[in-house]
């Protein structure tokens, strides 16, 4: 059977017996069955790959040997492609020489200097392992620099950190003291008056405002500059979270693209092409509070055992070299544009423009699934995921990588076109006639809906051929 036949063989992609068996072991050993909520069982249909065994480029293989073209790309962390040779080579070579020493490694200086060159206004950098740690460090630094305790985050951007100051604004706020939650406020994107109102309501209290420079909706003319001016006029700092925009937007930075300089900014994800590394960057007078060359109270700033592991820094340098030497950003946008054009054509052909919608920059496409009333629907999202998975495409988003070829994009368009035909039928006779099992659920919800989970376990066993215990 050739590769094209395997992608569109329903018998092959419906076989998830090994994944089905391992899911229950995972839930016994790991809360939720995964170490990242976005990768959990409740985010995917019952008929889906429960575990990915390996990847190459934009293709992945699950535990049962099913092959998929992938568009989640490690939650946007893999922009070059899985197992990208230059990154693997750099990381492995460094690993063979040791990865963690008693004193700093020279590569820490080299990598910091290279990254600073890419970020407008940045004068110093410090490395860590994940985005949450970096953004929390930015918040602590802003509080120390300004002497204030409150912060404000953009309410239209759903995730900044797993720490209390950010998660307190979501329905999953169990375990967070109310006193801590009162120190975080929200403002709306592209609405300067929303942020200005906070400064009026809490005069002299706000240390910083944090937001993503751009998400699904681009900033309106003058918004980012206006927000920066508003912060500085009121004695606060502007923090830009570039975990997603970094190394996906033109010039590797949304700040560069939109010609704005934040006081502090955070990068990660694609910077290591999936290898754990993130960074906090900012103006020297702020960042040096975590160092030795000042006479103010010191800030405990990102002092972690594994923050500057040399193999991760080597990987980051290899990523930056690849971006410098090859047309990565241009390819992400070109392939994303090809995908958008094909999907929108299929959407029009099936009469689904009101129900299936694409959004975001072409290098970072997302989609929304709506019901017959045009309301966003988890049920229809689940059906779309089920039908694309059935056709060899794993697409929680439609995020392209440097490894997505024209053939990969065209196969994906064909699979989505076929999935949308089922979507059209589901609008007419109801999704229940086509969906196997329960719908997916929002990550940020207060309850785990255990009854659905129990029902799902039985259906997974039946669908995958695993006997119930």
């Amino acid at each position: 059977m050739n590769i094209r036949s395997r992608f569109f063989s329903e018998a092959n992609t419906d076989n998830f017996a090994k994944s089905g068996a391992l899911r229950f072991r995972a839930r016994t050993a790991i809360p939720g069955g995964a170490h990242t909520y976005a990768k959990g069982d409740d985010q995917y249909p019952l008929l889906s790959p429960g575990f990915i065994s390996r990847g190459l480029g934009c293709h992945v293989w699950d535990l049962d040997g099913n092959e998929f073209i992938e568009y989640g790309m490690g939650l946007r962390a893999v922009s070059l492609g899985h197992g990208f040779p230059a990154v693997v080579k750099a990381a492995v070579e460094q690993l063979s020489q040791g990865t963690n020493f008693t004193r700093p490694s020279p590569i820490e200086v080299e990598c910091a200097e290279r990254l600073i060159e890419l970020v407008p206004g940045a004068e110093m950098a410090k490395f860590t392992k994940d985005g949450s740690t970096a953004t929390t460090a930015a918040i602590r630094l802003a509080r120390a620099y300004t002497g204030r305790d409150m912060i404000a985050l953009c309410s239209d951007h759903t995730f900044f950190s797993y720490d209390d100051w950010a998660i307190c604004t979501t329905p999953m706020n169990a375990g967070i003291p109310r006193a801590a939650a009162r120190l975080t406020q929200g403002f709306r994107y592209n609405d300067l008056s929303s942020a200005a109102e906070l400064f009026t309501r809490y005069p002299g209290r706000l240390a910083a405002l944090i937001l993503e420079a751009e998400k699904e909706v681009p900033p309106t003319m003058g918004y980012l500059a206006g927000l920066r001016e508003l912060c500085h006029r009121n004695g606060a700092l502007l923090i830009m979270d570039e975990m997603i925009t970094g190394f996906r937007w033109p010039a590797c930075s949304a700040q560069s693209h939109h010609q704005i300089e934040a006081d502090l900014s955070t990068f990660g994800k694609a910077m290591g092409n999936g290898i754990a590394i993130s960074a906090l960057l900012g103006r020297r007078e702020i960042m040096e509070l975590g160092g030795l060359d000042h006479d103010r109270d010191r800030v405990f700033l990102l002092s972690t055992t594994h923050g500057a592991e040399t193999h991760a820094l080597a990987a980051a340098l290899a990523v930056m070299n690849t971006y410098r030497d090859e047309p990565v950003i241009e390819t992400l946008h070109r392939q994303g544009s090809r995908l958008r054009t094909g999907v929108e054509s299929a959407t029009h052909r099936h009469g689904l423009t009101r129900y299936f919608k694409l959004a975001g920059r072409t290098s970072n496409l997302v989609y929304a699934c709506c019901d017959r009333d045009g309301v966003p629907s988890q049920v229809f999202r689940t059906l779309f995921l089920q039908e694309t998975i059935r056709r060899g495409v794993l697409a929680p988003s439609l995020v392209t990588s440097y490894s997505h070829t024209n053939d990969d994009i065209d196969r994906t368009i064909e699979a989505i076109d076929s999935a949308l035909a089922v979507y059209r039928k589901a609008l007419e006779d109801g999704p229940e006639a086509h969906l196997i099992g329960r719908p997916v659920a929002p990550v940020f919800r207060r309850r785990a809906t255990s009854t659905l989970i129990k029902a799902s376990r039985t259906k997974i066993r039946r669908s995958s051929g695993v006997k119930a215990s």
Side-chain angles (χ1 to χ4, degrees), residues 166-222:
I167 293 299
C168 69
T169 65
T170 75
M172 289 180 69
N173 58 4
I176 299 175
R178 291 182 180 179
R182 283 195 288 268
L183 296 177
T184 299
Q185 298 296 318
F187 64 94
R188 304 309 300 270
Y189 188 67
N190 275 340
D191 184 355
L192 277 176
S193 64
S194 173
E197 193 274 332
L198 288 179
F199 285 110
T200 301
R201 195 192 318 168
Y202 303 103
R205 293 286 306 279
L206 289 169
L209 270 61
I210 184 170
L211 76 162
E212 296 183 57
E214 182 177 347
K215 207 166 172 65
E216 286 78 33
V217 178
T220 55
M221 184 67 68

Side-chain angles (χ1 to χ4, degrees), residues 90-113:
V92 170
E93 286 182 354
Q94 186 59 58
L95 276 170
S96 69
Q97 300 174 51
T99 189
N100 206 329
F101 309 111
T102 303
R103 295 299 309 276
S105 167
I107 198 173
E108 297 181 36
V109 181
E110 181 184 1
C111 196
E113 290 175 341

Side-chain angles (χ1 to χ4, degrees), residues 306-365:
H306 301 287
E309 287 176 325
T310 56
H311 74 286
L313 299 178
L317 283 169
V319 168
M320 287 187 273
N321 289 341
T322 302
Y323 274 74
R324 180 195 63 199
D325 300 336
E326 301 183 34
V328 179
I329 295 288
E330 296 87 344
T331 301
L332 298 182
H333 284 83
R334 185 182 66 250
Q335 298 302 73
S337 294
R338 186 185 186 98
L339 182 59
R340 179 194 283 273
T341 298
V343 171
E344 288 183 341
S345 177
T347 305
H348 279 86
R349 189 163 50 254
H350 291 288
L352 293 173
T353 53
R354 185 186 172 205
Y355 308 101
F356 186 84
K357 305 171 184 179
L358 297 182
R361 180 168 286 275
T362 54
S363 63
N364 190 55
L365 287 175

Side-chain angles (χ1 to χ4, degrees), residues 167-393:
I167 293 299
C168 69
T169 65
T170 75
M172 289 180 69
N173 58 4
I176 299 175
R178 291 182 180 179
R182 283 195 288 268
L183 296 177
T184 299
Q185 298 296 318
F187 64 94
R188 304 309 300 270
Y189 188 67
N190 275 340
D191 184 355
L192 277 176
S193 64
S194 173
E197 193 274 332
L198 288 179
F199 285 110
T200 301
R201 195 192 318 168
Y202 303 103
R205 293 286 306 279
L206 289 169
L209 270 61
I210 184 170
L211 76 162
E212 296 183 57
E214 182 177 347
K215 207 166 172 65
E216 286 78 33
V217 178
T220 55
M221 184 67 68
Y223 171 69
L224 295 178
L227 198 63
R228 184 176 189 270
E229 191 278 330
L230 180 66
C231 286
H232 290 183
R233 176 158 37 94
N234 288 278
L237 301 184
L238 179 64
I239 303 172
M240 291 282 185
D241 179 352
E242 293 225 44
M243 289 296 159
I244 291 175
T245 56
F247 296 90
R248 282 199 174 275
W249 264 237
C252 295
S253 164
Q255 292 177 77
S256 295
H257 180 59
H258 294 299
Q259 298 182 323
I260 183 74
E261 291 184 6
D263 298 300
L264 297 169
S265 55
T266 56
F267 285 74
K269 287 189 182 287
M271 186 169 74
N273 196 49
I275 292 177
I277 183 169
S278 64
L280 168 65
L281 299 99
R283 290 166 28 210
R284 184 176 307 280
E285 62 183 292
I286 305 170
M287 294 286 291
E288 68 182 1
L289 293 183
L292 302 172
D293 300 322
H294 63 91
D295 56 5
R296 295 182 57 178
D297 291 344
R298 294 179 68 195
V299 176
F300 195 92
L301 184 66
L302 294 176
S303 180
T304 63
T305 300
H306 301 287
E309 287 176 325
T310 56
H311 74 286
L313 299 178
L317 283 169
V319 168
M320 287 187 273
N321 289 341
T322 302
Y323 274 74
R324 180 195 63 199
D325 300 336
E326 301 183 34
V328 179
I329 295 288
E330 296 87 344
T331 301
L332 298 182
H333 284 83
R334 185 182 66 250
Q335 298 302 73
S337 294
R338 186 185 186 98
L339 182 59
R340 179 194 283 273
T341 298
V343 171
E344 288 183 341
S345 177
T347 305
H348 279 86
R349 189 163 50 254
H350 291 288
L352 293 173
T353 53
R354 185 186 172 205
Y355 308 101
F356 186 84
K357 305 171 184 179
L358 297 182
R361 180 168 286 275
T362 54
S363 63
N364 190 55
L365 287 175
V366 295
Y367 58 83
C369 298
C370 300
D371 62 20
R372 62 186 60 169
D373 295 320
V375 178
S377 167
Q378 296 286 9
V379 175
F380 276 92
R381 175 177 172 82
T382 312
L383 179 62
F384 178 77
L385 281 167
Q386 172 185 286
E387 294 305 311
T388 48
I389 287 170
R390 195 189 294 272
R391 292 159 177 81
V393 173

Side-chain angles (χ1 to χ4, degrees), residues 76-98:
R76 297 173 176 82
V78 182
S79 64
L80 298 176
H82 301 294
F84 195 77
V87 177
V88 172
K89 181 174 183 292
V92 170
E93 286 182 354
Q94 186 59 58
L95 276 170
S96 69
Q97 300 174 51

Side-chain angles (χ1 to χ4, degrees), residues 128-151:
T128 184
K129 283 301 184 186
D130 60 55
S132 291
T133 310
T135 54
T136 294
I139 295 299
R140 180 182 299 154
L141 202 53
R143 283 171 164 159
Y145 181 78
T146 62
R148 300 173 175 182
D149 57 357
M150 295 185 71
I151 58 98

